[in-house]
Amino acid sequence: MLTCIIRYQIDPTKKAQFETYARNWGQSIPRNGAELVGYYAPHEGSTTLAYGIYNVPSLADYESYRARLAADPLGRENYEFAQREGFLLREDRCFFKLASTPHGEQS
């Protein structure tokens, strides 16, 4: 299992738009094959950092999931909404493997 953590830099004056974006992914991501942990908007401290976190079984599964997400009507609408509203200033996507024990798999 891989965890994808997306770090967003958002326009702090458009936090409400980011929260709409997050709620839309809350519907679209699970139905297209990823296990959504959640989207997180700024609350205290930084006003420009936000995160999206979800799990996929593998990078191959991620590629299939991304294709389904791009074809999903709400997914397409959400991409277009982000472009139109301009609240995402930067997006960094990283994949992580759980390494902690006792939670991690033993080899």
Side-chain angles (χ1 to χ4, degrees), residues 22-42:
R23 283 190 299 276
N24 288 338
W25 286 139
Q27 296 174 43
S28 189
I29 287 173
R31 79 167 167 243
N32 283 287
E35 176 191 341
L36 181 63
V37 175
Y39 268 72
Y40 299 85

Side-chain angles (χ1 to χ4, degrees), residues 10-24 41 78 81-82 84-88:
I10 66 170
D11 179 334
T13 67
K14 296 182 177 185
K15 182 179 160 189
Q17 288 91 329
F18 178 80
E19 290 174 351
T20 298
Y21 178 78
R23 283 190 299 276
N24 288 338
N78 216 26
F81 172 68
R84 186 173 61 251
E85 295 294 321
F87 55 88
L88 298 179

Side-chain angles (χ1 to χ4, degrees), residues 3-4 6 10 16 24 39 42-44 49 56-57 63 66 68-69 76 83 87 89:
T3 299
C4 180
I6 307 168
I10 66 170
N24 288 338
Y39 268 72
H43 177 71
E44 185 69 28
L49 288 180
V56 290
E63 293 299 329
R66 291 284 292 182
R68 288 189 302 274
L69 195 62
R76 268 195 321 276
Q83 292 296 314
F87 55 88
L89 306 177

